[in-house]
Amino acid sequence: MKKLIIFPAIALLTLIGATASFADYKDIAAEVGTIFKVWVGGAARETDTTVDESLADTQSPALPEASGRIGAAKAGEYYNGESSASGGFFFKTAKLPQRIHLELDYFNDKEWYGDFRYSFLDYVKIRALPRRSYHNLDNITVYDFAPTDSTAAEIDIKDRGIDDYGLRTDIDKYKLRFKTPGYPFHLYGIGETVRSDGIRQDRFLGGSGYYSDPVRVTESREVDQEKLEYIIGANAHLGPIEFDVSHKNRSFESDATTPTYNYTGGPSAHGVTPELEATTNTFKLHTSHSGRIFASTTFSQVKKENEDNDAEAKNTVSYGEIFWLPASYLAMTAKLRHQKNEAAAPDTVTGTDWQGNTTTYIVNPGVESETDIAIFSIRYSLIPKTNLNFQYTKRIKEVEEQSALNWHTPPKTTRDEYELGVSNWVIPKVRTTAKVTHTRISTELNPGSINNEPNRTNQINLGLTWTITPRILTYGNAYAAREETNSNRISGGITNANEAEALRQRYLLSIAFMLTDRLTVSPTYTYLSDEESRDIVWNGAVDSDYTNKQTAHNYALNMLYIPTDRMSINCSVDYTTTDGTYEPTSPFTGLTGSYDTAELARFSQSSTEEINLRLDTDFDLAKGWGIGLDLRYTDWQDESFDNPSNGEFMSGLLKLTKVM
Amino acid sequence: MNLRTSLVKGVLLCVLLATAFTGGCTGNLKEDNPIIPIREYEKMLLGKLTSDYVGNANCLKGCHTHDKLALDFKSSTMGDQLEQSSHGMQIVDCESCHGPGSELMDEIAGLDVNKNSQEIIEAHRNNLIDYNNLPAGALSLICLKCHTTNATFNIHNWNSGVHVFNGVSCSNCHPIHAGADLITPPRAVPGLCFSCHIELKAQFSLPSHHPIKEGKMSCVDCHEPHGSANPKQLHEVDEKETCGRCHAEKTGPFIFEHGDVTDKCSTCHSPHGSINNNLLKLREPFLCRQCHPRHASNDTLAAKSMFNTRCTDCHSMIHGSDTPGASTVPTSGGALTR
């Protein structure tokens, strides 16, 4: 019903805009050196969400707990449904010796954005970038597939009906830089804080007897955590080369209460969030960019510590590249990168098991490995307006011997990648690109080790940009990749479940019609598909060639209409549908019990539909005054088996602006 | 392994030093001057060493007095330096970027802009640096000749970066005449990136995505468009460190890790968008099944209800944990269930 209102509303506003006329327009371009603009307004928002149980009603056999499904009450992933007064300002001046840029858009306490900059010549630069956003989270249903079977796992839903899971995330970034006058020596500092605050669903394994009496529990959990990061550094010239040295410190801690669960042996904490600390030291050198030969190198070392125990990790990266431009039509580069990952943890830790006994558990420290990457690229302008690119990449990853045995990873993986690309704009107003990539991966395998990368991959990517007429621009892109795997894909020493194939496709067509000097319409269609066929193992038996297919269609229509010099209307419609299905092979549809793999395949079914409408208009009135209207509408339908929900979100923001 | 690490570092340093001292780096770098004197460089790009400099008066006060090009440029930092009161900063004028203009002046002398506009445009094309036909790398050098020596250290890996090799130059993202500064506002970055990487735009419309289209994040939060020493032009040394900038709680190190899978988040997640919750490449349990066989158990209804649904309902600390699982078996501490 609302769609019937929204679409005519857009048409009506467009018509009003086309006929509106205002006097005394002031050309602010003449004053572009200093701009000061303020806006105030208010946003009315409404969210209407329902839980859709139709899937349970229409599919047979219905799952026993279907009637208890609650799904998530949401209308998409990122929005905040609170109505609020809003406002903001934009001030910019660029009169030497000072430059100032102050920008703030406040929509509500969970959604605002700022960008504040000040500089005095190039001696001092200060910048602050605060951001606030809200992320709606799901309340996913946990099912009991066998409620009448006393030997089956039970469920314990403690958060039934809670529909406001979500996190407010604050990301604030600060930059400060000093430069010595007349000499390029810089001192700089960068700070970043990321704070998350809210509640989320916590699903975990409970039960008085743990594995012996499993209970799948879901409950609410508080989130209150902060990451603090700062970088201090310096850079300058050292004769023919430039250097940069920096030190970064990152710390993370959570102030939220750690939840506990009562096993037979007493209460035990779960989902403990440790305090983490990391430092990174980086040293960079490079030669001048203006020569025909250019080289740069980077050494970086990351040390990470878990402050709650003795777990440590270290990543060391050495990187170098050399670029050579022997002629304007020929460029070559060679890159070499070495990364060493180290990990340390105690051999054993003690903990309390579900019976309340103190047990000593064996620890496998993280995987230690060394990875070398060599890349050679060449770019050749074969004929004018035609470029030929070739790139060869070799990557060798070696896992430390004991790590490979502990974690069932290949001790050595070698990857060779060949990439050939052509771009061409010989035909006037037509630009074509083509790129083919062939990748081969070979692995040395221990008994029981697992290979999670495809052995062969072939990719092709074609692009076309065509200015058919000065008023019609077309863009098309086609991408397809086929991945094949034929060795040790499954852990646990299973050697007869090796085959896997995947076909990934992306197609896009976009056309921009400049219908008049003041009206541009751009429809776009995109198709995405991932189809995987592979062996999986059910209870020791191989299910060959099961397929999992995921598809998405995206239809977008953008319209920019400038009916007069004082008015702009930006309108967009975005419609996306997605589907995900799993198809087991026939031998696995008749196993013991009421719920065979075909039945369980329903669990992987997903189907979503989302419509986004936006109408953003700005009207310049007399003497710098203006009004604006930003209307948004989202219609969300999620028919996924474990998380069905419908929702609508509407937002209207009315703005009054003044340019001074 | 240590010997190999040292060898790699030694080779890299030798290459760099050899390049620095043989690569034509002349001039006094301990001043705010580019390595090759600007004027010689411009003549080289122009390809007409006989052309000479005539000053701004012929451009701004001659023809480009009132057009938007001049107004926008005048409001920019570089435009402000056109004024002689540049407070000691380098003077940047039209010819700094477009090359010496004496031969252009000779050719258009006497032409009427109202009657001979095509000839004037053609003369500009023939006598100034021809941006339309300059390879991206060479085009960028026009900017780099100054910015290599001053305050733009994020171009450390520019020359060998993927953008240069794919025909992208500075001015594709930083419109030179457009305003008071050339910093691309974070909220404008995705639109800029999608103008070439248009296929990615649709991925951000999938049900699970990072809030790029909502304007809460920007591509440059993860990627360094000017080039990087790291794969996929990431800011940090690997995916785990990059994702950890916002998802620090998942980075560890933990006592019980999930192998080295968590070093590469993209093993399980599709960062630009997915049809599945939490950006997962596949839904559970099939995502996990790709590497792990099912729990060893008989195929009863009870077992299926436990083991064929969502693995992370029980293995809730899938990114790593400090707490051993509650089993009584000493080797099962790393079950990631607590």
Side-chain angles (χ1 to χ4, degrees):
Chain A
M1 180 62 191
K2 288 190 175 69
K3 292 172 208 169
L4 295 175
I5 298 170
I6 292 285
F7 282 115
I10 292 171
L12 182 63
L13 281 165
T14 306
L15 188 63
I16 293 169
T19 54
S21 176
F22 299 92
D24 300 328
Y25 176 64
K26 186 177 180 182
D27 184 4
I28 62 164
E31 297 181 358
V32 74
T34 299
I35 300 173
F36 184 34
K37 182 178 179 180
V38 293
W39 69 272
V40 293
R45 299 184 177 85
E46 186 185 338
T47 310
D48 180 15
T49 55
T50 56
V51 176
D52 185 0
E53 296 181 3
S54 60
L55 204 70
D57 298 335
T58 57
Q59 296 207 1
S60 179
L63 290 175
E65 286 293 306
S67 60
R69 289 190 301 160
I70 52 174
K74 68 172 192 177
E77 199 168 11
Y78 302 98
Y79 66 88
N80 176 31
E82 297 172 18
S83 296
S84 171
S86 306
F89 58 85
F90 183 91
F91 174 75
K92 192 172 192 174
T93 184
K95 294 294 181 187
L96 287 181
Q98 301 182 82
R99 281 175 287 157
I100 300 171
H101 176 119
L102 306 172
E103 183 180 0
L104 176 71
D105 284 328
Y106 176 89
F107 301 103
N108 55 62
D109 69 327
K110 294 187 179 73
E111 290 180 305
W112 56 272
Y113 167 92
D115 188 355
F116 308 104
R117 305 178 217 160
Y118 170 80
S119 60
F120 183 83
L121 292 175
D122 56 354
Y123 304 161
V124 180
K125 284 183 78 173
I126 302 170
R127 188 176 189 191
L129 266 167
R131 280 180 281 178
R132 300 289 179 275
S133 61
Y134 190 74
H135 189 183
N136 292 283
L137 300 176
D138 290 316
N139 184 341
I140 291 174
T141 305
V142 176
Y143 295 114
D144 186 349
F145 280 80
T148 58
D149 185 342
S150 60
T151 64
E154 298 171 24
I155 59 169
D156 183 3
I157 300 175
K158 297 180 176 178
D159 59 349
R160 192 183 296 277
I162 294 179
D163 62 2
D164 60 349
Y165 283 143
L167 296 180
R168 170 184 140 151
T169 302
D170 307 349
I171 302 176
D172 298 333
K173 196 163 190 171
Y174 309 95
K175 293 180 179 179
L176 173 64
R177 197 195 71 197
F178 299 104
K179 174 180 175 289
T180 50
Y183 182 82
F185 174 75
H186 305 96
L187 282 174
Y188 62 88
I190 300 171
E192 185 177 74
T193 61
V194 179
R195 285 181 295 274
S196 294
D197 189 10
I199 55 169
R200 69 170 174 86
Q201 185 184 30
D202 191 12
R203 299 187 305 275
F204 61 95
L205 176 60
S208 60
Y210 200 56
Y211 290 148
S212 303
D213 177 26
V215 176
R216 296 158 62 212
V217 187
T218 165
E219 63 182 17
S220 298
R221 179 170 183 168
E222 175 193 12
V223 176
D224 181 6
Q225 59 193 34
E226 182 178 42
K227 182 213 75 166
L228 173 64
E229 183 175 300
Y230 68 82
I231 303 170
I232 51 172
N235 60 61
H237 291 302
L238 282 177
I241 54 178
E242 297 173 57
F243 82 94
D244 180 276
V245 59
S246 65
H247 171 79
K248 179 167 80 177
N249 184 284
R250 177 190 290 175
S251 60
F252 169 82
E253 62 181 15
S254 169
D255 289 331
T257 306
T258 301
T260 58
Y261 188 83
N262 274 321
Y263 297 101
T264 298
S268 171
H270 67 89
V272 178
T273 309
E275 192 176 327
L276 305 169
E277 190 87 21
T279 58
T280 305
N281 292 306
T282 303
F283 182 59
K284 296 178 179 179
L285 288 172
H286 73 239
T287 63
S288 167
H289 285 79
S290 59
R292 285 184 183 277
I293 300 178
F294 166 82
S296 77
T297 187
T298 301
F299 298 100
S300 195
Q301 189 169 70
V302 186
K303 289 182 181 174
K304 295 181 278 192
E305 290 179 23
N306 186 321
E307 298 292 300
D308 290 1
N309 51 54
D310 295 327
E312 292 178 356
K314 189 162 82 173
N315 309 124
T316 308
V317 172
S318 311
Y319 174 83
E321 64 184 22
I322 186 164
F323 169 84
W324 183 32
L325 189 71
S328 63
Y329 55 83
L330 185 64
M332 287 182 270
T333 186
K335 305 174 185 179
L336 196 59
R337 189 179 195 272
H338 176 79
Q339 177 163 346
K340 183 177 183 182
N341 292 345
E342 297 167 90
D347 294 336
T348 58
V349 293
T350 55
T352 307
D353 62 30
W354 64 272
Q355 294 174 327
N357 301 320
T358 300
T359 303
T360 301
Y361 294 94
I362 296 167
V363 175
N364 284 340
V367 175
E368 299 201 323
S369 65
E370 290 193 47
T371 305
D372 288 296
I373 302 174
I375 301 172
F376 174 71
S377 311
I378 184 166
R379 177 187 169 94
Y380 180 52
S381 297
L382 194 63
I383 54 175
K385 300 190 176 183
T386 300
N387 288 324
L388 190 64
N389 282 11
F390 173 75
Q391 181 167 293
Y392 170 66
T393 304
K394 190 171 191 74
R395 188 192 72 186
I396 301 172
K397 180 176 179 179
E398 289 184 291
V399 176
E400 190 271 333
E401 192 176 347
Q402 193 58 46
S403 285
L405 291 170
N406 289 345
W407 289 101
H408 309 297
T409 60
K412 185 175 181 180
T413 304
T414 305
R415 176 190 177 106
D416 293 282
E417 184 175 288
Y418 307 85
E419 183 179 297
L420 183 65
V422 182
S423 62
N424 175 307
W425 60 105
V426 173
I427 304 170
K429 299 172 184 173
V430 177
R431 184 183 177 97
T432 55
T433 58
K435 187 162 74 177
V436 291
T437 308
H438 173 70
T439 307
R440 278 187 302 178
I441 293 177
S442 60
T443 51
E444 291 178 7
L445 297 166
N446 288 326
S449 61
I450 180 173
N451 164 32
N452 63 11
E453 292 188 275
N455 296 101
R456 285 180 303 280
T457 303
N458 289 304
Q459 300 174 69
I460 183 164
N461 195 337
L462 303 172
L464 168 72
T465 306
W466 181 19
T467 308
I468 299 171
T469 75
R471 290 182 179 274
I472 302 176
L473 175 67
T474 305
Y475 181 88
N477 182 260
Y479 168 86
R482 178 174 288 282
E483 301 168 359
E484 296 172 35
T485 307
N486 59 10
S487 69
N488 285 51
R489 231 187 24 76
I490 298 283
S491 66
I494 297 168
T495 56
N496 58 342
N498 294 325
E499 299 297 326
E501 278 189 10
L503 177 63
R504 308 186 191 285
Q505 299 172 84
R506 315 273 185 268
Y507 302 109
L508 178 145
L509 181 63
S510 181
I511 307 175
F513 296 99
M514 194 174 167
L515 298 177
T516 72
D517 288 346
R518 294 180 179 275
L519 178 62
T520 301
V521 177
S522 312
T524 302
Y525 169 71
T526 312
Y527 171 75
L528 300 94
S529 165
D530 287 321
E531 186 171 0
E532 299 194 28
S533 169
R534 60 175 65 233
D535 298 341
I536 58 173
V537 177
W538 300 93
N539 199 26
V542 178
D543 183 358
S544 297
D545 298 330
Y546 93 85
T547 57
N548 190 307
K549 187 168 185 180
Q550 301 180 151
T551 56
H553 302 267
N554 174 255
Y555 309 84
L557 179 68
N558 290 284
M559 184 194 79
L560 175 63
Y561 184 39
I562 306 173
T564 77
D565 288 342
R566 295 150 211 162
M567 178 188 294
S568 68
I569 299 171
N570 211 327
C571 177
S572 64
V573 181
D574 194 285
Y575 175 60
T576 306
T577 62
T578 70
D579 288 289
T581 58
Y582 156 68
E583 299 293 339
T585 47
S586 55
F588 288 82
T589 57
L591 294 179
T592 310
S594 302
Y595 297 90
D596 56 29
T597 51
E599 176 69 17
L600 293 165
R602 287 175 52 195
F603 187 79
S604 75
Q605 285 180 337
S606 70
S607 174
T608 67
E609 193 174 310
E610 185 176 3
I611 299 172
N612 286 297
L613 301 177
R614 185 174 182 188
L615 176 68
D616 189 8
T617 63
D618 284 301
F619 304 79
D620 288 327
L621 303 169
K623 297 178 181 176
W625 288 94
I627 57 170
L629 184 65
D630 187 350
L631 297 174
R632 298 180 193 214
Y633 171 76
T634 297
D635 183 3
W636 164 265
Q637 293 185 39
D638 188 346
E639 295 288 321
S640 301
F641 189 78
D642 58 343
N643 192 29
S645 65
N646 289 343
E648 288 179 313
F649 171 69
M650 287 149 283
S651 165
L653 175 66
L654 183 66
K655 297 183 289 184
L656 180 64
T657 61
K658 170 67 176 167
V659 178
M660 289 173 265
Chain B
M1 282 191 173
N2 286 333
L3 179 64
R4 202 171 80 185
T5 306
S6 304
L7 193 63
V8 170
K9 288 179 182 175
V11 168
L12 294 176
L13 198 57
C14 289
V15 166
L16 180 89
L17 293 174
T19 307
F21 290 103
T22 61
C25 302
T26 58
N28 184 3
L29 283 166
K30 295 182 179 179
E31 296 174 1
D32 278 353
N33 290 323
I35 289 161
I36 298 174
I38 288 177
R39 297 192 160 212
E40 293 306 313
Y41 197 92
E42 287 148 11
K43 287 185 179 184
M44 284 164 58
L45 285 173
L46 186 62
K48 293 187 176 184
L49 297 176
T50 54
S51 193
D52 211 346
Y53 295 85
V54 293
N56 289 316
N58 291 284
C59 313
L60 296 179
K61 292 176 183 170
C63 298
H64 297 286
T65 309
H66 298 297
D67 60 12
K68 191 168 187 307
L69 198 75
L71 285 171
D72 285 345
F73 187 65
K74 193 178 178 186
S75 73
S76 75
T77 313
M78 290 185 292
D80 226 341
Q81 292 170 58
L82 286 171
E83 308 295 332
Q84 291 305 304
S85 58
S86 70
H87 302 266
M89 294 173 71
Q90 279 187 323
I91 301 292
V92 180
D93 60 19
C94 307
E95 292 173 303
S96 299
C97 302
H98 295 278
S102 66
E103 297 201 1
L104 169 66
M105 289 299 113
D106 292 344
E107 195 165 324
I108 64 174
L111 294 179
D112 185 331
V113 70
N114 294 316
K115 297 177 183 172
N116 309 102
S117 58
Q118 278 308 316
E119 289 96 320
I120 292 172
I121 290 168
E122 196 62 29
H124 278 71
R125 196 171 288 149
N126 294 336
N127 292 284
L128 298 179
I129 295 171
D130 184 5
Y131 288 159
N132 289 330
N133 289 308
L134 213 54
L139 199 56
S140 295
L141 288 178
I142 293 167
C143 308
L144 292 171
K145 63 187 167 62
C146 293
H147 287 277
T148 189
T149 59
N150 189 29
T152 41
F153 212 86
N154 59 349
I155 56 173
H156 177 67
N157 298 103
W158 171 256
N159 271 347
S160 301
V162 67
H163 276 141
V164 167
F165 270 74
N166 285 279
V168 179
S169 67
C170 310
S171 55
N172 287 111
C173 303
H174 303 283
I176 309 302
H177 300 115
D181 62 48
L182 302 182
I183 294 175
T184 308
R187 288 185 293 187
V189 167
L192 200 58
C193 300
F194 292 148
S195 63
C196 291
H197 303 279
I198 192 167
E199 70 280 5
L200 292 178
K201 188 177 180 182
Q203 290 191 39
F204 287 104
S205 293
L206 295 177
S208 180
H209 60 273
H210 277 114
I212 295 286
K213 68 175 183 178
E214 288 81 1
K216 311 288 172 55
M217 273 187 78
S218 155
C219 311
V220 295
D221 284 329
C222 303
H223 300 282
E224 173 51 83
H226 304 101
S228 164
N230 308 314
K232 299 173 185 170
Q233 305 217 103
L234 294 175
H235 278 295
E236 309 290 338
V237 295
D238 53 27
E239 291 180 15
K240 186 190 227 176
E241 285 302 297
T242 303
C243 302
R245 288 177 67 176
C246 292
H247 305 283
E249 76 278 9
K250 296 179 173 65
T251 60
F254 299 107
I255 292 286
F256 298 103
E257 300 274 5
H258 188 173
D260 63 349
V261 169
T262 47
D263 282 346
K264 195 177 177 191
C265 308
S266 63
T267 302
C268 300
H269 299 280
S270 179
H272 295 135
S274 169
I275 77 166
N276 305 305
N277 232 350
N278 297 322
L279 295 167
L280 290 178
K281 284 182 161 178
L282 287 171
R283 287 167 70 84
E284 298 177 56
F286 307 105
L287 176 73
C288 310
R289 287 277 181 273
Q290 294 190 73
C291 294
H292 301 280
R294 206 186 84 176
H295 278 284
S297 66
N298 59 31
D299 214 342
T300 63
L301 188 61
K304 282 180 183 175
S305 68
M306 187 73 182
F307 300 132
N308 286 332
T309 54
R310 191 183 297 99
C311 307
T312 52
D313 283 354
C314 298
H315 301 279
S316 46
M317 301 299 287
I318 198 67
H319 297 103
S321 175
D322 288 348
T323 312
S327 167
T328 55
V329 181
T331 53
S332 66
L336 307 178
T337 50
R338 274 202 296 188

